[in-house]
Amino acid sequence: MTMHRWSQLFIPTLREAPADAEVASHKLLLRAGYIRQLGAGIYSYLFLGNRSVNKIVAIVREEMNRIGQEFLLPALNPKEIWEASGRWSGMGENMFRLKDRKGAELCLAMTHEEVMTSIARNELRSYKQLPQIWYQIQTKFRDEPRPKSGLLRVRQFLMKDAYSFDIDEAGLDVSYNKHDVAYRRIFTRCGLQFVAVDADSGAMGGSASQEFMVYTDAGEDLIASSASGYAANIEKATSQLASVESLAPTGDGLPELVHTPGQRTIDEVGAFLNLAPVHQIKTMAYMVELPEADHAKLGKLRAVVVFLRGDHSLNEAKLLTIAGGELRPMVAEEIEATFKAPAGYLGPIGLEAAPHPKKPGTLVILDKALEGRTNLIAGANKEEYHLRNVTPMRDFKPTLAADVRNIVEGELDPIDGQPLRLGKAVEIGHIFKLGRKYTASMGASVLNRDGKEVTPIMGCYGIGIERILTAAIEASAATNKGEAYALHPAIAPFQVVVTITNIGDEALLAAGEKIAADLEAAGVDVLLDDRDERAGVKFKDADLVGIPYRINIGRGVAEGKVEFLDRLRSITEDVALNEVTAKVSGQITSTLHNSLSTAGL
Amino acid sequence: MTMHRWSQLFIPTLREAPADAEVASHKLLLRAGYIRQLGAGIYSYLFLGNRSVNKIVAIVREEMNRIGQEFLLPALNPKEIWEASGRWSGMGENMFRLKDRKGAELCLAMTHEEVMTSIARNELRSYKQLPQIWYQIQTKFRDEPRPKSGLLRVRQFLMKDAYSFDIDEAGLDVSYNKHDVAYRRIFTRCGLQFVAVDADSGAMGGSASQEFMVYTDAGEDLIASSASGYAANIEKATSQLASVESLAPTGDGLPELVHTPGQRTIDEVGAFLNLAPVHQIKTMAYMVELPEADHAKLGKLRAVVVFLRGDHSLNEAKLLTIAGGELRPMVAEEIEATFKAPAGYLGPIGLEAAPHPKKPGTLVILDKALEGRTNLIAGANKEEYHLRNVTPMRDFKPTLAADVRNIVEGELDPIDGQPLRLGKAVEIGHIFKLGRKYTASMGASVLNRDGKEVTPIMGCYGIGIERILTAAIEASAATNKGEAYALHPAIAPFQVVVTITNIGDEALLAAGEKIAADLEAAGVDVLLDDRDERAGVKFKDADLVGIPYRINIGRGVAEGKVEFLDRLRSITEDVALNEVTAKVSGQITSTLHNSLSTAGL
């Protein structure tokens, strides 16, 4: 191998990032000379960026080869197979479309269920050929409406996408679990701290789905997780609540009016009555626009009233799932017309609830946090009055009780009771029990053991290659004031930079050359900074480009010493010249191997 | 690593290829389960095909990393950079174009001069940053008018494209030569027999260019080469001719009429006068349509007359270069009107030739094979008469003498005098001194040593990744009756297949498993054929999928023997069980290493 010398390489570092770069990874990828923008959401990967991407690809390939077979499918897809699956129109403006010289319509594939299923349809005949796991690492195209955040939201990117074909659900469980393990190994080897979140499979129509997420403020999802391994998207997250001692009853213990002139909000009523919000019922009224199928039975618009604990907030996504249509808050006039109650004093008692979600009437939902509570304060459906002693189920019956609230940071996870962390995150992978949507619509079938034609069941599984890089940079930048980052030695473009502080000094030059050559002989991926630059410039560049380990060849050489920086552990120490190779290569080897064994993978 | 077991893998071999598959590689790639067609010129690479492609990519990357830096550039290109270079319209219908959701025009890049030059323009400022060699291995798109021949002419393919930037011509020579060596190493390591052909750089406007070609009937180029290393496209090939003893003069040795009633062709005249074609002058008359720039001086149409040796044929491409415009044969009426001579009896004497190619008049070309010849037979420009004793330069003066003939198989190369091989070939790579076309048109410049702005000079260099695979298959299929092929162990999807002839026999199963595991431990890439199939089916499949070495685990196991097939050398032999691992891995290692050392690379 030829030694990599910084002086010969194209590493165009920048002192400042362009003004339009917002998130840390975007700024740093540009400043470190990893990427350059060619157009909106379109980037060129330069030497260092491509080198890091190649290392990630190699890890993904190695782990995927343990469970499946690699293919390479065309980006250019004929319209026909997308019409067969029914997605030609469904993909809308997100899919790039074009015509060839003969006028035939093509698209640039965003995903490859269609191609994979067409191969399965044409080639698989018998249960004996199952299971199959087919994957590829390939360029995807997507006409993002708002490309932004550097490599986080782009129009062309690399994806590892995999597809499994099984004879039945039990087979799919096995294929799905294999991917779960492979993904954990991949992300762990790349040095990422991730959480696996139960995701809503939503529009894709499957039955189980998990997203692999990395906490970062650059993310667009909000997730909750705990040390026990519990993790969920905010739209699905639940928690254990600390028990609350209810108020003592007043009077005969039955609901009684209390005059609350001008006190409408939870805070106002709480202050006025000197009660914590936790003892109050928060009432929220919505109108839901129902889908056409429900019009005959339930009407076009339906009133939805939600009762929450006073200190809780509503999660609209959770409510949406129950309400079954588009939601908007009711305006005061609607509240007054529908419930004959003033908007600020709406409450549960006297409100007529539909007896069942599928029966007509107001859909009244009691958040589960109010179950079992007694003697609460609630609106009295009467101007300037609230009620004391309100006890759900005794004093009023909702249509149903359900979890519709947002969990709060620090609450305990519902399984092991560990405190929850709540934060923004970015998705790096997704595994998904897809079902028979594509095999059925495209007519793939095999003969089962009994000679009967059956439709194979599919799983699909994706990893965003660049997402691994950006997530790693975001995570590291957060601990480096956004000015630098250090990548895990498995995915850094180089593992060690040997910085000769003054190339004019023959002794330093010789020492640097020797250490770099020794490290390379020990299998370490080394960059030798032999540029004719000031030491300060070199140190800054080295930190900027994300190399985790640095050896400074400076004046200490005269006393047989060099300086070793472990940027992952923030340690700087002097090491003897004759020990540095063993020390650094040992540190790298243990860092590469520890992560998997620590994670029990 | 997990053992690769045929029973678990997706290797859909076919007994027959689809009827529309014509060339051997197309048929075999389909039959071997390497690829499947998705659309016209669009193929999915299945497990084996992708595995082979990955191995080729790894070799290309390894060799290119010795001389340059890998990038990865977007396939999606904005119109603007192609307009800057002037190629947006120039690429015509060959380039796929599309619009994004906002109506912005994009294309799918066929090549990346524009993107690379835009990076150079934005980032390079000084001669100190030169030279640079930047390459990528990436998917290219091209809207082929007639996709065909499987992977030989497709609309989406993988290409290694490289670009060099140098301060001056001497620098470009170095970069160009580095690529020459790298390409020779790559093709040699892939096991290809190739020739490097001096190519016409033609429309690209450069100054030197070389194509790497592999002889195969599936190719679309015609090339000539000899054992001395001489190689040229038929449009440029020249040869040494065996000397010909001219005829003795008749009469006074000056041209004399001979009556040749009804004898118009070379063969007719030869038979009639009992003379070999080598003693005749073949006359061919063309009309050339000149470009507008020449109209004022030379007219719109110009007559071109070529004199060839009777047994030679005209190479129109050579003539085109000299004539400087589109050519068509003259019709008889034009010949008679222009030269006052009957079409079948046109000859050199009395024909008025332009004194210089750039002066008006008939462009008369004497093929160089006629230089120095005497006493030839030629048309007399008179109905039913030829002339004897025609001696060029004494009896007539052409506008110029030039090489315009097709060389013939077996003639001697012009340098070392080795016999020439003439045949169809396919291009696998191309290196090219591009010049300053893109750096100038896109405004890239750097400061030279003297602080003056200069335009860097570029080279561009391409390798068709799939072409390496198809060329290797075509070459091998030619020696296997088109029914099978054996790839070099460097690029075969597996190096060895261990075929258990009967998996019902425990002893065979155990021996096969052990040999496969031992080979794998020795670093050999093994496929274990553990399918419950007849031995004949397994042998046929193994040959079909191109694996170069096979170990048959059969009845010989009882006597401690297995059968080893070296398909590259067509050797079959019995090997002792305890020697087979060493023997096979030794054979593979030496095959992998010998090629480079034999080639002196």
Side-chain angles (χ1 to χ4, degrees):
Chain A
M1 218 177 79
T2 16
M3 174 69 65
H4 287 98
R5 293 168 191 281
W6 200 313
S7 64
Q8 311 293 310
L9 296 170
F10 179 62
I11 304 177
T13 56
L14 302 174
R15 248 169 251 191
E16 312 236 323
D20 61 343
E22 282 171 21
V23 303
S25 63
H26 187 188
K27 289 180 197 170
L28 288 167
L29 283 163
L30 288 168
R31 290 188 54 206
Y34 276 46
I35 64 171
R36 286 295 182 263
Q37 184 168 16
L38 179 64
I42 306 175
Y43 288 87
S44 298
Y45 304 165
L46 309 185
F47 175 62
L48 289 187
N50 179 72
R51 204 170 161 89
S52 199
V53 165
N54 275 354
K55 292 191 175 188
I56 295 167
V57 164
I59 291 171
V60 171
R61 178 171 283 141
E62 211 175 291
E63 294 297 335
M64 286 304 300
N65 281 348
R66 295 163 68 107
I67 66 167
Q69 299 168 69
E70 188 178 359
F71 285 20
L72 183 61
L73 305 183
L76 218 46
N77 278 202
K79 179 183 183 180
E80 291 69 31
I81 56 165
W82 288 81
E83 282 194 321
S85 74
R87 290 208 289 186
W88 179 259
S89 56
M91 287 301 192
E93 286 197 310
N94 288 321
M95 193 154 76
F96 283 110
R97 293 147 204 269
L98 64 160
K99 285 186 182 171
D100 71 12
R101 65 197 301 147
K102 288 173 183 154
E105 292 186 83
L106 300 161
C107 67
L108 298 178
M110 301 164 59
T111 174
H112 279 85
E113 281 84 3
E114 278 76 4
V115 182
M116 284 289 189
T117 309
S118 78
I119 293 171
R121 175 187 62 196
N122 297 340
E123 308 289 340
L124 300 179
R125 293 282 165 265
S126 158
Y127 73 95
K128 290 183 195 163
Q129 292 169 284
L130 299 182
Q132 292 291 342
I133 293 175
W134 297 338
Y135 83 94
Q136 64 170 341
I137 300 168
Q138 187 254 12
T139 301
K140 295 278 185 283
F141 300 88
R142 183 185 297 250
D143 199 356
E144 268 290 338
R146 285 170 299 280
K148 63 170 184 181
S149 305
L151 294 191
L152 279 172
R153 208 190 251 195
V154 287
R155 302 203 290 174
Q156 167 168 358
F157 53 97
L158 290 167
M159 190 165 161
K160 189 288 298 171
D161 47 327
Y163 306 83
S164 63
F165 295 87
D166 280 282
I167 193 77
D168 57 19
E169 278 74 2
L172 174 56
D173 285 348
V174 174
S175 296
Y176 182 87
N177 290 337
K178 282 183 177 178
H179 281 88
D180 186 27
V181 173
Y183 278 35
R184 287 170 191 274
R185 287 179 59 93
I186 289 166
F187 302 136
T188 302
R189 286 182 61 186
C190 291
L192 290 175
Q193 303 280 343
F194 63 92
V195 291
V197 169
D198 277 329
D200 197 340
S201 33
M204 294 193 89
S207 54
S209 162
Q210 204 169 249
E211 285 168 357
F212 294 85
M213 312 287 292
V214 173
Y215 278 109
T216 157
D217 287 340
E220 296 189 334
D221 288 294
L222 201 58
I223 63 165
S225 69
S226 78
S228 73
Y230 174 82
N233 197 296
I234 192 69
E235 301 175 6
K236 290 205 140 191
T238 58
S239 64
Q240 296 179 29
L241 290 174
S243 67
V244 178
E245 198 170 327
S246 284
L247 295 173
T250 57
D252 60 1
L254 292 177
E256 63 176 14
L257 284 170
V258 47
H259 192 214
T260 49
Q263 316 299 320
R264 291 161 175 263
T265 68
I266 293 290
D267 287 345
E268 287 164 356
V269 174
F272 186 75
L273 299 178
N274 197 23
L275 290 163
V278 73
H279 298 299
Q280 300 184 53
I281 290 178
K282 184 190 275 182
T283 304
M284 303 183 81
Y286 285 85
M287 270 301 188
V288 56
E289 216 169 294
L290 292 172
E292 236 179 279
D294 290 334
H295 286 187
K297 212 168 172 182
L298 303 174
K300 213 166 155 182
L301 283 175
R302 185 184 204 180
V304 178
V305 176
V306 179
F307 299 117
L308 291 163
R309 204 171 83 180
D311 58 334
H312 286 161
S313 69
L314 178 75
N315 184 295
E316 287 205 10
K318 289 180 179 175
L319 179 58
L320 202 101
T321 313
I322 297 166
E326 203 115 320
L327 291 165
R328 63 167 175 78
M330 276 183 157
V331 293
E333 291 72 27
E334 282 176 314
I335 291 176
E336 279 150 32
T338 310
F339 306 115
K340 319 283 178 240
Y345 295 89
L346 192 62
I349 295 183
L351 218 67
E352 206 160 323
H356 184 277
K358 288 290 173 198
K359 293 268 163 78
T362 300
L363 180 66
V364 175
I365 298 166
L366 179 74
D367 183 66
K368 281 181 171 278
L370 290 176
E371 280 188 314
R373 292 292 304 282
T374 56
N375 305 326
L376 296 152
I377 308 298
N381 293 326
K382 182 177 154 93
E383 189 73 37
E384 310 219 317
Y385 280 91
H386 280 77
L387 289 171
R388 288 188 196 271
N389 298 334
V390 176
T391 299
M393 305 318 284
R394 179 192 73 182
D395 300 331
F396 69 94
K397 289 216 162 49
T399 308
L400 77 164
D403 173 22
V404 289
R405 72 183 175 91
N406 281 318
I407 61 139
V408 177
E409 171 114 12
E411 287 173 1
L412 306 181
D413 82 57
I415 295 163
D416 279 350
Q418 304 280 334
L420 287 166
R421 173 182 177 185
L422 194 64
K424 283 188 183 174
V426 64
E427 182 185 330
I428 51 172
H430 190 184
I431 60 177
F432 181 50
K433 292 185 182 173
L434 186 53
R436 296 185 174 84
K437 177 171 159 46
Y438 297 95
T439 41
S441 66
M442 297 182 74
S445 68
V446 298
L447 296 179
N448 71 7
R449 249 169 230 283
D450 307 323
K452 265 178 54 184
E453 286 222 2
V454 296
T455 304
I457 187 166
M458 286 177 74
C460 72
Y461 317 89
I463 289 180
I465 301 293
E466 294 93 337
R467 282 283 176 96
I468 292 180
L469 178 60
T470 47
I473 292 178
E474 290 288 348
S476 176
T479 66
N480 283 281
K481 297 177 192 158
E483 285 297 306
Y485 58 96
L487 292 172
H488 190 276
I491 66 168
F494 291 97
Q495 295 173 321
V496 181
V497 53
V498 175
T499 306
I500 302 170
T501 57
N502 176 6
I503 63 156
D505 184 328
E506 295 274 338
L508 304 195
L509 199 58
E513 292 273 356
K514 180 170 180 349
I515 289 171
D518 288 350
L519 283 168
E520 212 161 71
V524 174
D525 197 12
V526 189
L527 174 61
L528 178 64
D529 191 350
D530 61 343
R531 290 176 299 164
D532 186 8
E533 294 280 359
R534 284 181 300 111
V537 170
K538 292 182 169 192
F539 294 159
K540 210 160 183 180
D541 275 349
D543 284 357
L544 184 57
V545 303
I547 301 176
Y549 306 105
R550 187 167 88 218
I551 300 171
N552 294 333
I553 315 290
R555 289 191 205 130
V557 164
E559 295 126 52
K561 281 182 193 162
V562 293
E563 196 176 44
F564 172 52
L565 284 81
D566 180 336
R567 295 184 61 220
L568 297 177
R569 298 187 300 164
S570 300
I571 292 171
T572 304
E573 54 185 331
D574 280 349
V575 182
L577 267 173
N578 60 357
E579 287 166 13
V580 70
T581 302
K583 168 149 189 109
V584 174
S585 65
Q587 181 58 38
I588 289 171
T589 308
S590 72
T591 304
L592 290 177
H593 291 96
N594 278 352
S595 38
L596 274 184
S597 56
T598 307
L601 295 163
Chain B
M1 218 178 80
T2 16
M3 174 69 65
H4 285 98
R5 295 169 190 280
W6 199 313
S7 63
Q8 312 293 309
L9 296 170
F10 179 62
I11 303 177
T13 56
L14 302 175
R15 249 169 249 191
E16 312 235 322
D20 61 343
E22 283 173 19
V23 302
S25 63
H26 187 189
K27 288 181 197 169
L28 289 167
L29 282 163
L30 288 168
R31 289 187 55 205
Y34 275 47
I35 64 171
R36 286 296 182 261
Q37 184 168 16
L38 179 64
I42 306 176
Y43 288 88
S44 298
Y45 304 165
L46 308 185
F47 175 62
L48 289 186
N50 179 73
R51 203 170 162 89
S52 200
V53 166
N54 275 354
K55 291 190 177 190
I56 295 168
V57 165
I59 291 171
V60 171
R61 178 170 285 140
E62 211 175 292
E63 295 297 335
M64 286 305 300
N65 282 347
R66 295 162 68 108
I67 66 167
Q69 300 168 68
E70 188 178 359
F71 285 18
L72 183 61
L73 305 182
L76 218 46
N77 277 203
K79 180 183 183 180
E80 291 69 31
I81 57 165
W82 288 82
E83 282 194 321
S85 75
R87 290 208 290 186
W88 179 260
S89 57
M91 286 302 193
E93 287 197 310
N94 287 321
M95 193 155 76
F96 283 111
R97 293 147 205 267
L98 65 160
K99 286 187 182 171
D100 71 11
R101 65 198 301 147
K102 288 174 182 153
E105 291 186 83
L106 301 161
C107 67
L108 297 178
M110 301 165 60
T111 173
H112 279 85
E113 282 83 4
E114 279 76 4
V115 182
M116 284 290 189
T117 309
S118 78
I119 293 171
R121 175 187 60 195
N122 297 341
E123 309 288 340
L124 301 179
R125 293 282 164 266
S126 158
Y127 72 95
K128 290 184 195 162
Q129 291 170 285
L130 298 181
Q132 291 290 342
I133 293 176
W134 298 337
Y135 83 95
Q136 63 170 342
I137 300 168
Q138 186 253 13
T139 301
K140 294 278 184 283
F141 300 88
R142 183 185 299 251
D143 199 357
E144 267 291 338
R146 284 169 301 278
K148 64 170 184 182
S149 304
L151 295 191
L152 278 172
R153 206 189 252 195
V154 286
R155 302 202 291 174
Q156 167 169 357
F157 53 96
L158 291 168
M159 189 165 162
K160 189 289 298 170
D161 47 327
Y163 307 84
S164 63
F165 295 87
D166 281 281
I167 193 75
D168 57 19
E169 278 73 3
L172 173 57
D173 285 348
V174 174
S175 295
Y176 182 88
N177 290 338
K178 282 184 177 177
H179 281 87
D180 186 28
V181 172
Y183 278 36
R184 289 171 189 273
R185 286 181 58 94
I186 288 166
F187 302 137
T188 302
R189 286 182 61 185
C190 292
L192 291 176
Q193 303 279 344
F194 64 91
V195 291
V197 169
D198 277 329
D200 197 339
S201 33
M204 294 192 90
S207 54
S209 162
Q210 203 170 251
E211 285 168 358
F212 294 85
M213 312 287 291
V214 173
Y215 277 109
T216 157
D217 287 340
E220 297 190 334
D221 288 294
L222 202 59
I223 63 165
S225 69
S226 78
S228 73
Y230 174 82
N233 197 297
I234 192 68
E235 302 175 6
K236 290 205 139 191
T238 59
S239 64
Q240 297 179 27
L241 290 174
S243 67
V244 179
E245 198 170 329
S246 285
L247 296 174
T250 57
D252 59 3
L254 292 177
E256 63 176 16
L257 284 170
V258 47
H259 192 213
T260 49
Q263 316 299 321
R264 293 159 174 266
T265 68
I266 293 290
D267 287 345
E268 287 164 357
V269 175
F272 186 76
L273 299 178
N274 197 24
L275 290 164
V278 74
H279 299 298
Q280 301 184 52
I281 290 178
K282 184 190 277 183
T283 305
M284 304 183 79
Y286 287 85
M287 270 300 187
V288 56
E289 216 169 296
L290 292 172
E292 236 180 276
D294 290 334
H295 287 188
K297 211 167 173 184
L298 303 173
K300 213 166 153 180
L301 283 174
R302 184 185 204 180
V304 178
V305 176
V306 179
F307 299 117
L308 291 162
R309 203 171 82 181
D311 59 335
H312 285 162
S313 69
L314 178 74
N315 185 294
E316 288 206 10
K318 289 180 179 176
L319 179 58
L320 201 101
T321 313
I322 297 166
E326 203 113 321
L327 291 165
R328 62 167 175 79
M330 275 184 158
V331 294
E333 292 73 25
E334 281 176 314
I335 291 175
E336 280 150 31
T338 311
F339 306 115
K340 319 280 177 245
Y345 297 89
L346 193 62
I349 296 183
L351 218 63
E352 206 161 321
H356 185 277
K358 290 288 173 199
K359 293 266 165 78
T362 299
L363 180 67
V364 176
I365 298 166
L366 179 75
D367 183 65
K368 282 182 169 279
L370 290 176
E371 280 189 313
R373 291 291 306 281
T374 57
N375 305 326
L376 297 152
I377 309 298
N381 295 326
K382 181 176 155 94
E383 190 72 38
E384 310 218 318
Y385 280 93
H386 281 77
L387 289 170
R388 288 189 197 270
N389 299 335
V390 176
T391 298
M393 305 319 283
R394 179 192 71 183
D395 302 331
F396 68 95
K397 288 217 164 48
T399 310
L400 76 166
D403 173 21
V404 289
R405 72 181 176 91
N406 281 318
I407 63 138
V408 177
E409 171 113 12
E411 286 174 2
L412 306 182
D413 82 57
I415 295 164
D416 280 351
Q418 304 280 332
L420 287 166
R421 173 180 177 187
L422 194 64
K424 283 189 185 173
V426 64
E427 183 187 329
I428 51 173
H430 190 182
I431 60 178
F432 180 50
K433 292 184 182 173
L434 186 53
R436 297 186 173 85
K437 177 171 159 47
Y438 297 95
T439 41
S441 67
M442 297 182 74
S445 69
V446 297
L447 296 179
N448 71 7
R449 249 169 230 284
D450 307 322
K452 266 178 54 184
E453 286 222 1
V454 297
T455 304
I457 187 165
M458 285 176 73
C460 72
Y461 317 89
I463 289 179
I465 300 293
E466 294 93 337
R467 282 282 177 97
I468 292 181
L469 177 61
T470 47
I473 292 178
E474 289 289 347
S476 177
T479 65
N480 282 283
K481 297 175 192 159
E483 286 297 306
Y485 58 96
L487 293 172
H488 190 276
I491 66 168
F494 290 97
Q495 294 173 322
V496 181
V497 54
V498 175
T499 305
I500 302 170
T501 55
N502 175 6
I503 63 156
D505 184 327
E506 296 273 338
L508 304 195
L509 199 58
E513 293 273 356
K514 182 171 178 350
I515 289 170
D518 289 350
L519 284 168
E520 212 160 71
V524 174
D525 197 11
V526 189
L527 174 61
L528 178 65
D529 191 351
D530 61 343
R531 290 177 297 163
D532 187 8
E533 294 281 359
R534 285 181 300 108
V537 170
K538 292 181 167 191
F539 294 158
K540 210 161 185 181
D541 274 350
D543 284 357
L544 184 56
V545 303
I547 301 177
Y549 305 106
R550 187 167 88 219
I551 301 172
N552 294 333
I553 314 291
R555 287 190 206 129
V557 164
E559 295 125 52
K561 281 181 193 161
V562 293
E563 197 177 45
F564 171 52
L565 285 81
D566 180 336
R567 296 184 60 220
L568 296 177
R569 298 187 299 164
S570 300
I571 292 171
T572 303
E573 56 185 329
D574 280 347
V575 181
L577 267 174
N578 60 357
E579 287 166 14
V580 71
T581 301
K583 168 148 190 110
V584 175
S585 66
Q587 182 57 40
I588 290 171
T589 308
S590 72
T591 305
L592 290 177
H593 291 95
N594 278 352
S595 37
L596 275 184
S597 57
T598 307
L601 296 162

